[in-house]
Amino acid sequence: DIQMTQSPSSVSASIGDRVTITCRASQGIGNLLAWYQQKPGKAPKLLIFAASSLQSGVPSRFSGSGSGTGFTLTISSLQPEDFATYYCQQADSLPRTFGGGTKVEMK
Amino acid sequence: QVQLQESGPGLVKPSETLSLTCTVSGGSLSSSYWSWIRQPPGKGLEWIGYIYYSGSTTYNPSLKSRVTISIDTSKNQFSLKLSSVTAADTAVYYCARGGSGSYYSVPGSWFDPWGQGTLVTVSS
């Protein structure tokens, strides 16, 4: 299985901050990576697919980059509704696997 | 737009079989993959497996011996059965569209949308 490692596990930030989350794959996955946002008690929501493609309806302050084994999710200017947990997911091989999550908390 | 809704018992006894159904509305099951994903309380996400509308399935090897996913296109539903459950199977279970297919369109190999999730507790 491909192991997905996210860092940090949590980050404290303020409204308007730039936030960057990293996801590392245990082997190269090209650009076959997605990012999801999950709020407490809710299902995950797709933000980014194919490493950098913004899902329809997702604000442009979210962006993704990277390829191979290293990927980043960036929130350019943190908004109140962005406090949540973020997960990466690889689609290079089966079984599909997710990172352990990064919780974005209010400073 | 497509919406998914999980249903089934919230409490299952150890060694018994967990059974859940996902009802799809606002679209058909055709030409898509349909997945089950679970999340133990306070933990991360684990993909269980998917089924194509034709009925072909792929399962996570970690659960393969206990999992069966089936589909009923006439009812616009797909289902999960997980046998011989233990407390370790306590989780929120989500159904979602996707898991395989195109890498450059959604859903394809990505999961979207998801159902709201249903908590299944394994306890006597």
Side-chain angles (χ1 to χ4, degrees):
Chain A
D1 298 4
I2 296 178
Q3 307 303 314
M4 307 300 294
T5 304
Q6 288 182 234
S7 59
S9 56
S10 66
V11 57
S12 296
S14 301
I15 301 302
D17 284 354
R18 182 182 185 88
V19 175
T20 298
I21 298 168
T22 296
C23 178
R24 193 156 299 276
S26 60
Q27 63 190 68
I29 59 171
N31 68 338
L32 302 183
L33 184 105
W35 290 97
Y36 299 85
Q37 175 193 67
Q38 185 178 34
K39 296 182 179 180
K42 300 295 186 181
K45 171 189 170 185
L46 178 66
L47 299 176
I48 303 279
F49 64 96
S52 60
S53 295
L54 196 67
Q55 169 63 335
S56 176
V58 174
S60 59
R61 63 180 179 273
F62 290 94
S63 64
S65 64
S67 67
T69 61
F71 302 86
T72 59
L73 173 70
T74 299
I75 309 172
S76 60
S77 178
L78 194 68
Q79 298 302 301
E81 59 269 30
D82 301 337
F83 291 103
T85 300
Y86 294 84
Y87 293 93
C88 59
Q89 173 238 324
Q90 64 82 18
D92 177 75
S93 64
L94 295 169
R96 304 298 187 223
T97 49
F98 295 84
T102 295
K103 187 173 184 179
V104 178
E105 301 175 301
M106 190 176 298
K107 184 183 286 185
Chain B
Q1 72 277 22
V2 173
Q3 294 184 307
L4 293 81
Q5 177 70 58
E6 305 88 351
S7 59
L11 180 65
V12 180
K13 290 182 168 55
S15 79
E16 295 190 344
T17 296
L18 177 160
S19 296
L20 297 173
T21 295
C22 182
T23 301
V24 179
S25 59
S28 82
L29 296 178
S30 297
S31 303
S32 286
Y33 288 82
W34 302 91
S35 288
W36 286 98
I37 297 159
R38 70 180 183 178
Q39 184 173 36
K43 296 188 178 180
L45 299 159
E46 179 181 32
W47 175 74
I48 298 170
Y50 61 58
I51 189 165
Y52 192 46
Y53 78 104
S54 63
S56 64
T57 55
T58 300
Y59 302 134
N60 191 323
S62 68
L63 297 167
K64 185 176 182 178
S65 63
R66 299 193 292 132
V67 172
T68 302
I69 299 176
S70 58
I71 196 164
D72 186 337
T73 53
S74 67
K75 294 182 178 179
N76 242 30
Q77 295 177 333
F78 63 104
S79 299
L80 169 71
K81 290 188 185 298
L82 182 65
S83 64
S84 305
V85 297
T86 69
D89 295 310
T90 293
V92 175
Y93 286 76
Y94 295 100
C95 57
R97 188 177 61 173
S100 190
S102 170
Y103 297 124
Y104 299 104
S105 62
V106 176
S109 290
W110 322 108
F111 303 109
D112 179 80
W114 299 54
Q116 66 182 29
T118 187
L119 174 63
V120 179
T121 301
V122 178
S123 175
S124 55

